[in-house]
Amino acid sequence: MFNKILCVDDDPITLMLCKKVIEKAEFSKKIDTANNGEDALTYFDKLKIELENNPSIILPELVFLDLNMPVMGGWEFLDLFLKEEYYFFFPNLKVIVLSSTIDPKDIEKSKLYPMVIDFLSKPITKEMLNSLS
């Protein structure tokens, strides 16, 4: 079980489903959400400030990340997470790309990011979570 997970997707129904499946599978104690990559980076910016004031706060251990989102998509989020200081502050964070795309090029590209541990097709299911445990 994870202490905290972040789900990033622009579709509110997908976010709701993600939360419900994770809760039902008892896969995480806390689930936060972001509507796109920019919101996710803002989330991590706030965590960096909290971390400076309280080093014992609970950090997300896993991110479920959609690729195709308005404002900032998953690829841009991953690029900025590596390029900026985020990866330094959150070196143990793991990312699972959760996307409706089945393009083999996307799967191969995801392997270039050290924090990406898997690439799964939407929708998230309890069976998927069980296979990750």
Side-chain angles (χ1 to χ4, degrees), residues 87-132:
Y87 197 60
F88 173 77
F89 278 93
F90 309 101
N92 298 323
L93 184 74
K94 302 299 179 209
V95 175
I96 294 176
V97 174
L98 188 61
S99 182
S100 55
T101 182
I102 54 170
D103 186 343
K105 290 178 185 173
D106 285 337
I107 296 168
E108 287 305 310
K109 183 176 180 179
S110 72
K111 293 175 183 176
L112 300 174
Y113 296 91
M115 69 287 252
V116 175
I117 60 168
D118 211 340
F119 191 107
L120 302 174
S121 295
K122 287 182 185 181
I124 193 169
T125 64
K126 187 175 179 181
E127 291 73 30
M128 282 180 184
L129 297 177
N130 289 338
S131 73
L132 297 171

Side-chain angles (χ1 to χ4, degrees), residues 36 41 53 66 69 72 93 107 111 113-114 124:
N36 56 59
L41 289 179
N53 296 325
D66 186 24
M69 298 177 283
M72 180 187 292
L93 184 74
I107 296 168
K111 293 175 183 176
Y113 296 91
I124 193 169

Side-chain angles (χ1 to χ4, degrees), residues 32-71:
D32 292 331
T33 61
N35 295 316
N36 56 59
E38 185 175 85
D39 286 350
L41 289 179
T42 300
Y43 170 89
F44 284 107
D45 285 335
K46 289 177 184 174
L47 278 179
K48 282 192 303 186
I49 293 166
E50 286 182 47
L51 193 56
E52 290 172 4
N53 296 325
N54 180 5
S56 64
I57 65 167
I58 297 173
L59 299 173
E61 300 165 282
L62 182 67
V63 173
F64 285 105
L65 178 68
D66 186 24
L67 293 179
N68 302 310
M69 298 177 283
V71 184

